[in-house]
Amino acid sequence: MSLVPYLVLQRHRAPALTGRLEPDESLPRVCIIGAGSSGLAAAKALYEARVPFDCFEMGSVVGGNWVLDNPNGQSACYETLEINTSGRRMAFSDFPMPPDYPPYARHDQVAAYFEAYVDHFGFRHTITFDTRVTSVEPLTRDLTLADPVEQPRWRVTAEGPDGATTREYAAVVVANGHHWDARWPDPPYPGTFDGEQIHSHDYRGAEQLRGRDVVVVGSGNSALDIACVAGKVARTTTLSQRRGQWVLRKFTAGIPSDQIAAPGWAPWLVTRARLRIGALTSSKVSKLGLPKPLHRPSESHPVQSEEIRDLLKSGRVTPRPAIERLAGDQVVFSDGTSAPADLIVWATGYRVTFPFLAPDLLAAPGNNLPLWKRVVHPDLPGLYLVGLLQPIGAVMPLAEAQSRWIAEVLTGSYVFPPADEVRSQMLADHERNARHFYASQRHTMEVDFDRYLWDLARERRKGRRRAERRIPAGSRA
């Protein structure tokens, strides 16, 4: 099987809605938490299915992590941020990105895209802004996935400009994102540091780096982006990596690299081959001083950069291994070298947390949270988690497919399989994905973009057939 140029996932742009769709109040009422990309996908899917819902957004705008200085205080967006997935692969299926966008759009273009998406499909009025969900509590704990969705299950408390309100819902869609709760080194490195320390979540742009001695710690996309900016404006820039990564280029033979793909039904070895080819066609950064990767290219979430090689070659960015200790105005590394520093940027990832849920109800220690199809927890019927995955590709089309699935559940056109089947599939999928990637908190939610969409579409077809046959609860499909 050969790799072929990816054919555009989305259809033509769907017609704009000219009037409001009235919800069907006979359907279960839902609460959506968040109006970032995943929350918008959920709101649009439920709106078109006429499922009544409330969508609560902490800030005053849509777009979540793609809005620079988002008023909700959760965005990690910075001035030079652009997508690492090409626009064709990132866009929702019925709303292509504008044709004049570059292959890898800037954050402001992505934010504008989400604003246009909401207005095109006419559901902005369904979003309640400047409102934080503070508590989500189950009213019953003895239900199964096969129970009627009309039975209220969840009590939600939200705080807005006029105070707190509490309402009951049949279901809750959690779309609060997973790039906002900064993870700092734990335990902290020994020694003391006289300068400033920030997490990459608080980085916004070049002015924070200009004229300083900067040490960037991390090996993901944000670390490389920040190091590249620092290499242009800082007095000195050091990039410290504990573990080496394969750094892929964004273009192959003149086209976006992610548009060279394989069908979702193809075995994992095809995706593995694609990533290895991408690594082979990208010059190795380990030859420029960064740590040599100890894993194969397919065993880690892809890292991309078009600039880091030139900055390493020119000496504007100095590569160093892991930090050993902090020493006043110096950082000492495991190879015995040191670097001057008055600013450390910790690009060390994020924790997956749900501040509105009790930890004994749902938690992700070490970012590890097995879910069926990355959406459903078999012990918490009526709770759906959208966008809580880390794909080799973009989250948005996956969140869209998840949301349409949820709409089918709520309207009764989809029926779950028996609970024991859900559990066995969930564990099997979780273990399979874990085998594909090296053990790390950054890989606990990893999925293959094309495979995931194909697999979820297959399950949705099965569920619709179960609904058509009206299989009694508890019997096997």
Side-chain angles (χ1 to χ4, degrees):
M1 181 180 299
S2 62
L3 300 180
V4 296
Y6 174 81
L7 298 178
V8 181
L9 178 69
Q10 61 265 19
R11 301 179 294 274
H12 294 295
R13 179 171 293 194
L17 295 178
T18 57
R20 288 191 179 185
L21 298 177
E22 295 301 323
D24 181 351
E25 296 297 340
S26 69
L27 295 174
R29 177 163 287 276
V30 182
C31 172
I32 300 174
I33 302 174
S37 60
S38 296
L40 294 180
K44 191 255 190 180
L46 298 191
Y47 180 63
E48 290 191 331
R50 298 181 184 263
V51 175
F53 68 91
D54 297 314
C55 178
F56 297 115
E57 163 56 39
M58 290 171 54
S60 56
V61 297
V62 303
N65 212 38
W66 291 98
V67 178
L68 185 65
D69 292 323
N70 191 319
N72 67 15
Q74 305 298 296
S75 174
C77 185
Y78 45 88
E79 288 177 349
T80 58
L81 179 64
E82 64 179 31
I83 58 179
N84 286 313
T85 305
S86 64
R88 288 184 175 183
R89 294 277 266 179
M90 181 181 183
F92 294 121
S93 67
D94 54 2
F95 197 72
M97 286 193 175
D100 59 343
Y101 273 23
Y104 295 94
R106 301 185 311 269
H107 65 84
D108 58 304
Q109 294 172 318
V110 178
Y113 168 80
F114 289 131
E115 290 282 353
Y117 177 75
V118 173
D119 291 336
H120 185 80
F121 292 108
F123 61 94
R124 188 179 296 273
H125 65 282
T126 67
I127 304 170
T128 303
F129 291 100
D130 299 312
T131 301
R132 178 195 298 265
V133 172
T134 58
S135 175
V136 176
E137 305 170 276
L139 297 177
T140 53
R141 296 293 296 269
D142 57 351
L143 300 175
T144 69
L145 292 175
D147 286 320
V149 295
E150 290 82 5
Q151 182 174 353
R153 298 189 180 102
W154 300 91
R155 179 183 293 118
V156 176
T157 300
E159 292 186 358
D162 298 326
T165 59
T166 299
R167 302 173 187 173
E168 293 184 1
Y169 297 93
V172 175
V173 174
V174 176
N176 68 317
H178 57 275
H179 288 121
W180 59 271
D181 191 355
R183 185 175 72 236
W184 294 74
D186 186 21
Y189 286 96
T192 58
F193 183 62
D194 297 338
E196 180 185 5
Q197 302 182 59
I198 66 171
H199 192 274
S200 57
H201 183 270
D202 298 316
Y203 167 73
R204 292 295 175 266
E207 290 308 309
Q208 291 171 272
L209 312 173
R210 190 177 303 278
R212 306 183 72 172
D213 295 312
V214 179
V215 174
V216 180
V217 183
S219 56
N221 288 301
S222 295
L224 267 60
D225 284 354
I226 297 169
C228 287
V229 175
K232 301 170 186 175
V233 303
R235 182 166 51 236
T236 63
T237 301
T238 304
L239 176 59
S240 169
Q241 294 187 343
R242 177 177 55 85
R243 180 175 186 134
Q245 296 292 336
W246 298 93
V247 180
L248 309 181
R249 294 189 181 275
K250 289 188 172 184
F251 293 90
T252 300
I255 64 173
S257 299
D258 65 351
Q259 292 182 30
I260 302 173
W265 47 262
W268 168 250
L269 63 87
V270 178
T271 295
R272 185 174 62 190
R274 175 172 68 86
L275 294 173
R276 291 183 182 180
I277 291 171
L280 290 174
T281 57
S282 302
S283 58
K284 296 180 180 179
V285 291
S286 59
K287 293 182 178 180
L288 301 175
L290 290 174
K292 182 179 179 180
L294 301 178
H295 59 277
R296 295 173 179 173
S298 59
E299 295 173 347
S300 175
H301 186 76
V303 179
Q304 296 176 306
S305 177
E306 289 293 314
E307 296 184 303
I308 191 63
R309 292 169 181 82
D310 289 341
L311 289 163
L312 288 168
K313 289 177 183 177
S314 68
R316 292 296 300 162
V317 174
T318 302
R320 287 289 181 261
I323 292 175
E324 180 181 276
R325 58 188 172 87
L326 308 179
D329 61 356
Q330 299 278 317
V331 174
V332 181
F333 303 99
S334 60
D335 62 355
T337 62
S338 63
D342 58 22
L343 173 64
I344 299 176
V345 183
W346 300 99
T348 46
Y350 296 88
R351 298 182 301 168
V352 176
T353 53
F354 313 99
F356 40 79
L357 291 168
D360 62 343
L361 182 70
L362 187 71
N367 288 358
N368 191 34
L369 179 59
L371 296 168
W372 187 52
K373 309 303 180 189
R374 297 303 315 159
V375 175
V376 173
H377 193 295
D379 294 332
L380 299 171
L383 187 71
Y384 303 97
L385 296 99
V386 174
L388 190 63
L389 72 180
Q390 188 75 20
I392 300 177
V395 171
M396 293 72 182
L398 309 192
E400 177 187 31
Q402 292 173 336
S403 299
R404 290 179 173 177
W405 178 33
I406 294 168
E408 292 171 351
V409 174
L410 296 168
T411 56
S413 61
Y414 171 95
V415 170
F416 285 107
D420 60 342
E421 187 174 322
V422 168
R423 291 181 187 281
S424 63
Q425 287 185 13
M426 178 182 75
L427 294 177
D429 289 347
H430 190 70
E431 291 171 358
R432 183 194 65 239
N433 290 339
R435 289 193 301 269
H436 289 166
F437 305 95
Y438 71 77
S440 168
Q441 289 192 29
R442 73 194 298 252
H443 295 141
T444 55
M445 304 182 297
E446 199 80 16
V447 300
D448 179 13
F449 179 96
D450 297 291
R451 179 76 182 186
Y452 181 88
L453 284 176
W454 173 81
D455 181 65
L456 184 57
R458 182 177 60 169
E459 172 53 38
R460 288 170 61 189
R461 290 193 296 270
K462 290 179 179 179
R464 288 193 290 266
R465 288 196 294 268
R466 287 191 291 265
E468 290 168 0
R469 296 198 301 266
R470 298 183 182 277
I471 299 175
S475 62
R476 188 170 296 275

